[in-house]
Amino acid sequence: MGPPGAGKGTHAVLLARDLSAPHISTGDMLREAVREGRPLGLKAKEFMDRGALVPDEVVIGLVEERLRKDDAKTGFILDGFPRTVDQAESLDRCLEALKMPLDHVIYFKTTLAMVIRRLSGRRVCGQCGKTYHMTNFRPKKEGVCDACQGSLVQRPDDHEDAIENRLRVYEKQTAPLIEYYGKRKVLAEVDGDLDVDPLRVILKDLFSRKQGQPVRR
């Protein structure tokens, strides 16, 4: 967890690759469930179609559904969930039922200047959703997606004024999770301002440590 632009999605993908564990993104799960027409997906679609937030019980249902698959039985990386203490409590109950305790919750502590720099440089394919960055991960052809040749756009919420509002929402809703998981001694704080490669090394080292051993880098 961490503020928007902290690098959570990037490192979730890399960690999943390094640990041979599935990368479980709630956003991807929602889109897949809708596309496949599964019952929870159809329920989520009702809310998504009218621009409303998908209720926690639907999201946690999808998470539990995903964690029951064989590839998650030896480990998984959760990306984008939980976002609130209520969601964290629901996740705890789900994991307890599945007998799959959390080993680590990674907090990417990131400065405002870095968040603005990263998000304002982000571009997204309007067709397939692939993400690029004008500094760190540029497309081969300016403004064109490498994967599907769709046009790259800047999301409205990646403009500087919108970023500051997103950070206020984060502080109100998500930051309390730092205390929540800190009390459970599973929280690991890392420097979200670091570039990808040095932070990747730190995270790989973290996962070789025992549960509850603090890491501050």
Side-chain angles (χ1 to χ4, degrees), residues 40-111:
L40 283 171
L42 295 175
K43 191 171 182 180
K45 188 175 186 297
E46 294 175 11
F47 294 90
M48 295 163 68
D49 284 348
R50 60 176 188 259
L53 290 175
V54 178
D56 286 354
E57 61 266 25
V58 175
V59 179
I60 195 66
L62 286 168
V63 171
E64 182 171 357
E65 194 177 77
R66 180 62 182 87
L67 292 178
R68 288 185 181 278
K69 292 187 176 182
D70 289 342
D71 66 341
K73 293 189 184 304
T74 57
F76 56 89
I77 304 290
L78 275 177
D79 175 14
F81 188 85
R83 293 181 182 272
T84 66
V85 171
D86 285 346
Q87 290 179 352
E89 291 172 343
S90 295
L91 178 63
D92 283 346
R93 291 190 291 271
C94 169
L95 294 176
E96 184 177 356
L98 294 173
K99 294 182 172 55
M100 300 170 74
L102 286 176
D103 294 316
H104 298 288
V105 175
I106 304 170
Y107 168 44
F108 291 73
K109 189 172 184 180
T110 314
T111 62

Side-chain angles (χ1 to χ4, degrees), residues 150-167:
S151 297
L152 302 184
V153 297
Q154 184 178 35
R155 288 173 21 177
D157 59 354
D158 281 346
H159 293 283
E160 188 167 337
D161 55 346
I163 291 170
E164 293 178 357
N165 182 61
R166 290 171 67 189
L167 289 175

